[in-house]
Amino acid sequence: MVKVLLNLKWRYFLASFKGNAWVIVGTIFGSLYLLGALVGWGVFAATQGAQEGIDPQTAMLLVGAGVLLALLWWILPIFASGTDATLDPDHLAPYPLKTKDIQLGQLLGGLIGLPGLATVLFSAVTALLLWRHPVSLVVYVLMIPLGLALVLTISRIISLLAIEISSIPGVKQGLIIVGFLLMMGAGPLVAGLALGLGEAWDALPSAMKVLSWTPLGAPFAVASAVYMGHWGKALLFLVLSLIYLALSWVIWAKLLNRAMSRIGEIGGTTASKQVEAGNTGIFKHFPASTRGALAARTVHMLVKDPRCNLNIIMIPAFYVLFTLFGRVSIGEESTGNPVLLAMAAVFVPALAGYVYSYLISYENSAFSMNVLAPVSGKDDRWGRAWGLLVLMGPLIIFGSLFLSWRLDNFASLPAILGLGVGQLLCGVGLSAFVDMLISVPVPPPGGSPFKTPKQSDGFSKGLIRGLIMLVLMAFAIPGGILWIVYSSTSSPLWMWLSGAVSLLIGAIVFFIGLTVGAARYDAHSAETLQRVSQFR
Amino acid sequence: MDDSTEQSLSTPVSTAEAVAAEVPAEALHRPALEIQNLVKAFKDKIAVDGINLTIPRGSFFGLVGRNGAGKTTSLSMATGMLRPTAGTVLIDGINVWENPQSAKSKIGVLPDGVFLFDKLTGEQLITYAGLLHGLDRATVAQRTADLLAALDLTEAAGRRVRDYSAGMTKKVALAAAMIHAPSLLVLDEPFEAVDPVSASNIQDILRAYVQGGGTVILSSHVMDLVQRLCDHVAIMSDGHILAAGTTDEVRGDSSLEDRFVELVGGRKISEGISWLKSS
């Protein structure tokens, strides 16, 4: 039976390539990237292992590599529950399978596919640390299966728990937002760590010593202890690992049984919120017109849909991060890094405006309601712009104020504000035209915000999107040049001119984009509907 | 808006009034929908192969066919959702693909298998549809209340459509398709997943709508229902219309189901599967 499950997983993996050249290309690039990382780690490990005698750092790296693997396998399912659903209980519940079979199937199945392969290769390459110590090497290699089994077992427990936890209303959205902010903050976090790297590096050995006793590091600490010559400790780690594995296996089985008996309950509809009849909510706050209705619904979707509201949260988060970044990179000085802050002034508002091109994609085939109604292109384009600007306008204005305060205590506010609003308008204007030509793939309604549908022409679309961002950056050049002139001459005239020019460019691009986009909508809304309906 | 809500409470409207079609006098003599030589070719297959169809004004028209016969594709092309490879669609004499705005204002469509804006409440969704059609706030509020009552959705009005059952979802989509009092209703599989009671209610509403001068075209593969409900019918298979006319003409002496199977073919006479018999 386990063989059948593994075969299923394998077929599913193969089928994802069928008839889709870009998936193959993506996999090849992904593999090359992994290969590069593995070779890099391998060379490092071999060099480190070439040293004479015993180096405590090697012992630490052995444990550290295991801890890293475990962390990756355990943290990811929290934010992306159901990343690989091929062998999930939902799909297997109708069949008379033994829990043990499913467990074995999922355990071994976890190694099928790119992440599994990478895991196996990574643990294999790590063995190079011990190439001059045959006994430790043999122990290490023998411990790999135990280590991976423990990592995967606990990963499964966590993903089962994650499914349950995220079925509580509100929690999933909270987790998604936390995950998103962590992802965005990864840069500054790493930068911050890098600053304090010395201390962190010093703390690492003692941290690994502690972690060796936990499920995170125990299996890999066995070889580490043998390497250091602590045979008693090694035995202890081995026993501990076995106990951890047995315990987690039992817990997994219990959770799996529970999940199987409650299929359909989790994530099912509970008593839902209800407003009284006659209350049309947001539609009351916008004029009763086609355009007003579109604006109202755009705001509603951007705020209420977990796929979309990341785009809103992203804007203030970016402003904060860019200023943090600016500070981190030059340490003590409180003025921050001017180049980065200026980047924020140009880049963030353009991105905010670019969200416009996602709007119809997020609607997916629900967009049919608009296509079936006699909505003019002008009403559609202006209504959406109105809705988006109601949200983004204040965010960009406050963000620009914040930036200009951090940069030079409001000295160049006109330039920054003009650039912010101008770039926002440019982003909307350009998107209003481009999204009538190509549609950005986004997860379908109800889907995980991180799961983008596979697109056969994803690569070329990615190129076009990169190009759009470049064009948007180009719109900022005139205002930027005038700003630089101001910084060198200190004549406020240039600064005001910079703001005015940015605003003017924004207004022109906005108006032309919406007008051309509207004409294109009138002629081709049906094609747009067919495009976005395919994002499944 | 408050005025109109009061109004709807004090003078309850009948179902027929709630769903009345607005048909201009001069349109009465034109067919509601004319499809001429309509073709849709996808990359690897021809889904609709040059069909011709006339839906007379005031008729209750059934379009029947097996899965994959081209019904949804044809109706999508007829309503402006999918551009035809060739051919013409006239709604009340107006070419849908040359003059979409005025053609679309005359039809209400219930598409099959599309998402709805399901983060909105039922009432918000119907309101949104009304506003998209350019109705004023008072009219939208009045008609929304009427439609919710007629479709037995008043209690669920303030709940998100996402939390509706499949049947309720069909009903709220139907309400959204009717709010602008179209003269032609195009319904793709309107009874799929709808419970029998709701289906009967919907049938009553559609009958009242046709009696009030409206025209309905619906697609289905439930032959009994079409035979009972529709006065005209067309049988579609493999992108072709095999037969079209009044229901009585098409079915002749046999039932519509028998006639359908006879025309479309594909029935397998079988003895059953031996190992499935329990005794």
Side-chain angles (χ1 to χ4, degrees):
Chain A
M1 191 44 68
V2 176
K3 228 168 118 185
V4 175
L5 290 179
L6 289 180
N7 197 19
L8 172 69
K9 178 87 200 267
W10 177 242
R11 299 268 157 176
Y12 207 85
F13 177 64
L14 286 186
S16 65
F17 296 104
K18 221 164 231 169
N20 198 338
W22 289 112
V23 176
I24 300 176
V25 171
T27 311
I28 290 173
F29 274 113
S31 316
L32 284 177
Y33 182 77
L34 273 175
L35 205 65
L38 281 172
V39 168
W41 173 239
V43 169
F44 173 79
T47 328
Q48 172 73 19
Q51 291 177 31
E52 294 283 340
I54 303 296
D55 181 359
Q57 192 162 310
T58 304
M60 187 197 77
L61 285 171
L62 276 172
V63 181
V67 169
L68 182 72
L69 265 188
L71 281 179
L72 284 178
W73 276 94
W74 298 355
I75 289 175
L76 287 181
I78 298 178
F79 300 111
S81 56
T83 14
D84 177 18
T86 322
L87 298 182
D88 264 6
D90 305 45
H91 294 162
L92 299 177
Y95 304 103
L97 295 172
K98 291 196 197 89
T99 311
K100 197 185 77 188
D101 288 342
I102 297 181
Q103 283 181 285
L104 277 174
Q106 289 190 338
L107 190 69
L108 297 174
L111 298 176
I112 297 176
L114 219 48
L117 186 70
T119 303
V120 173
L121 290 178
F122 177 77
S123 8
V125 167
T126 305
L128 287 173
L129 279 168
L130 298 170
W131 64 276
R132 292 186 63 165
H133 301 268
V135 180
S136 318
L137 185 68
V138 170
V139 172
Y140 175 81
V141 171
L142 286 176
M143 288 306 289
I144 288 181
L146 179 62
L148 293 188
L150 187 60
V151 165
L152 289 172
T153 303
I154 295 184
S155 166
R156 275 288 161 182
I157 291 178
I158 290 172
S159 68
L160 276 176
L161 287 176
I163 293 173
E164 284 205 30
I165 291 170
S166 53
S167 69
I168 303 167
V171 170
K172 180 161 196 161
Q173 203 156 336
L175 277 176
I176 287 167
I177 291 171
V178 168
F180 179 71
L181 290 178
L182 274 180
M183 242 164 62
M184 284 189 41
L189 279 179
V190 169
L193 279 179
L195 272 184
L197 196 64
E199 292 164 42
W201 195 254
D202 294 339
L204 220 49
S206 46
M208 286 308 145
K209 259 178 208 152
V210 176
L211 290 175
S212 298
W213 299 95
T214 67
L216 273 163
F220 298 96
V222 177
S224 176
V226 169
Y227 170 80
M228 295 295 284
H230 305 317
W231 283 91
K233 235 183 187 177
L235 193 66
L236 215 56
F237 285 137
L238 176 63
V239 172
L240 212 52
S241 303
L242 289 171
I243 292 174
Y244 286 143
L245 182 61
L247 268 180
S248 51
W249 187 266
V250 172
I251 294 172
W252 181 17
K254 285 238 154 81
L255 284 173
L256 197 57
N257 278 329
R258 203 162 67 129
M260 300 276 264
S261 62
R262 303 197 330 179
I263 297 290
E265 278 176 45
I266 297 175
T269 50
T270 44
S272 64
K273 242 182 26 187
Q274 176 144 11
V275 296
E276 55 189 304
N279 182 359
T280 51
I282 188 143
F283 289 102
K284 284 190 298 194
H285 304 293
F286 282 82
S289 63
T290 306
R291 237 176 253 198
L294 261 156
R297 219 213 63 253
T298 301
V299 171
H300 188 271
M301 180 176 79
L302 284 170
V303 173
K304 286 286 169 80
D305 195 318
R307 297 170 302 149
C308 312
N309 52 27
L310 291 183
N311 292 308
I312 305 293
I313 295 163
M314 156 182 103
I315 300 306
F318 260 134
Y319 276 121
V320 172
L321 282 173
F322 266 103
T323 39
L324 274 183
F325 238 136
R327 294 201 61 170
V328 162
S329 49
I330 58 166
E332 293 303 304
E333 268 184 70
S334 60
T335 46
N337 182 337
V339 176
L340 265 175
L341 294 187
M343 269 299 292
V346 175
F347 175 71
V348 181
L351 208 61
Y354 182 62
V355 171
Y356 191 101
S357 61
Y358 290 75
L359 293 177
I360 294 185
S361 296
Y362 278 127
E363 292 174 13
N364 206 300
S365 55
F367 176 55
S368 60
M369 185 176 270
N370 297 30
V371 174
L372 287 167
V375 177
S376 70
K378 210 173 160 193
D379 278 340
D380 179 273
R381 298 287 90 181
W382 283 87
R384 287 173 195 278
W386 178 1
L388 185 66
L389 289 178
V390 161
L391 290 173
M392 290 299 192
L395 284 177
I396 295 302
I397 289 172
F398 281 120
S400 301
L401 284 171
F402 177 70
L403 261 187
S404 113
W405 170 53
R406 298 301 307 152
L407 183 67
D408 50 12
N409 238 336
F410 299 116
S412 48
L413 179 63
I416 293 185
L417 203 56
L419 211 49
V421 176
Q423 283 293 92
L424 175 64
L425 292 176
C426 282
V428 171
L430 194 60
S431 302
F433 168 61
V434 172
D435 93 310
M436 284 289 117
L437 295 175
I438 58 162
S439 296
V440 189
V442 301
S448 157
F450 295 118
K451 216 170 179 182
T452 306
K454 284 192 179 113
Q455 280 288 296
S456 47
D457 53 352
F459 189 68
S460 46
K461 267 186 198 162
L463 276 182
I464 294 175
R465 265 145 64 199
L467 207 68
I468 292 169
M469 279 323 272
L470 270 183
V471 171
L472 283 176
M473 296 299 109
F475 286 136
I477 291 175
I481 289 177
L482 288 167
W483 188 7
I484 293 169
V485 172
Y486 155 72
S487 344
S488 49
T489 61
S490 298
S491 155
L493 172 73
W494 295 108
M495 180 183 57
W496 286 99
L497 212 57
S498 161
V501 164
S502 300
L503 265 182
L504 187 68
I505 292 175
I508 292 172
V509 173
F510 181 80
F511 189 76
I512 292 179
L514 260 63
T515 307
V516 180
R520 179 94 194 156
Y521 181 99
D522 285 332
H524 293 286
S525 59
E527 279 77 6
T528 307
L529 171 64
Q530 297 303 323
R531 260 197 326 265
V532 295
S533 299
Q534 320 228 313
F535 300 146
R536 298 265 165 161
Chain B
M1 194 183 70
D2 289 332
D3 297 356
S4 58
T5 321
E6 264 170 45
Q7 201 184 341
S8 77
L9 288 175
S10 54
T11 52
V13 260
S14 72
T15 302
E17 268 177 75
V19 298
E22 285 170 1
V23 187
E26 74 275 10
L28 286 173
H29 310 293
R30 284 195 293 265
L33 174 69
E34 270 186 283
I35 292 175
Q36 295 160 355
N37 303 316
L38 199 61
V39 177
K40 184 67 197 183
F42 291 112
K43 231 182 285 170
D44 44 358
K45 77 172 240 195
I46 294 177
V48 175
D49 196 0
I51 62 168
N52 288 286
L53 211 52
T54 302
I55 316 293
R57 167 86 46 208
S59 64
F60 204 135
F61 202 106
L63 179 61
V64 297
R66 298 175 69 174
N67 295 330
K71 304 188 295 287
T72 298
T73 310
S74 302
L75 295 182
S76 299
M77 289 191 286
T79 53
M81 289 168 70
L82 179 68
R83 191 179 302 276
T85 310
T88 315
V89 179
L90 302 174
I91 288 171
D92 193 12
I94 303 166
N95 189 320
V96 175
W97 289 97
E98 280 168 10
N99 205 343
Q101 292 222 34
S102 42
K104 284 172 182 176
S105 66
K106 293 177 187 299
I107 55 172
V109 185
L110 175 71
D112 185 35
V114 300
F115 287 107
L116 289 174
F117 294 113
D118 60 5
K119 294 278 191 302
L120 300 176
T121 65
E123 187 168 20
Q124 283 178 323
L125 187 73
I126 304 171
T127 302
Y128 176 65
L131 293 173
L132 276 190
H133 279 91
L135 303 177
D136 63 76
R137 206 186 282 277
T139 311
V140 169
Q142 169 77 57
R143 289 187 182 178
T144 302
D146 293 347
L147 283 165
L148 285 169
L151 287 159
D152 198 18
L153 285 171
T154 308
E155 251 176 72
R159 236 191 297 156
R160 286 190 315 176
V161 174
R162 188 190 159 84
D163 299 331
Y164 280 16
S165 69
M168 287 160 80
T169 310
K170 279 272 186 211
K171 288 201 285 184
V172 81
L174 182 64
M178 296 179 89
I179 188 155
H180 57 294
S183 61
L184 169 66
L185 269 181
V186 181
L187 314 174
D188 197 359
E189 300 284 356
F191 299 108
E192 208 162 66
V194 179
D195 70 86
V197 177
S198 296
S200 296
N201 288 345
I202 294 177
Q203 289 174 31
D204 287 346
I205 288 165
L206 295 179
R207 282 202 196 92
Y209 170 81
V210 171
Q211 271 164 17
T215 308
V216 171
I217 172 166
L218 61 82
S219 78
S220 177
H221 34 227
V222 184
M223 297 301 147
D224 282 345
L225 187 134
V226 172
Q227 186 177 339
R228 212 155 19 84
L229 209 55
C230 301
D231 47 41
H232 287 67
V233 69
I235 296 178
M236 199 168 180
S237 178
D238 279 334
H240 295 275
I241 300 283
L242 299 184
T246 65
T247 309
D248 290 337
E249 277 168 17
V250 170
R251 75 186 171 100
D253 294 330
S254 47
S255 73
L256 185 61
E257 179 154 339
D258 288 342
R259 180 74 181 132
F260 177 84
V261 171
E262 186 190 316
L263 277 171
V264 173
R267 271 282 279 158
K268 288 195 183 69
I269 307 296
S270 112
E271 299 273 303
I273 299 165
S274 60
W275 49 264
L276 257 180
K277 289 175 185 153
S278 47
S279 56

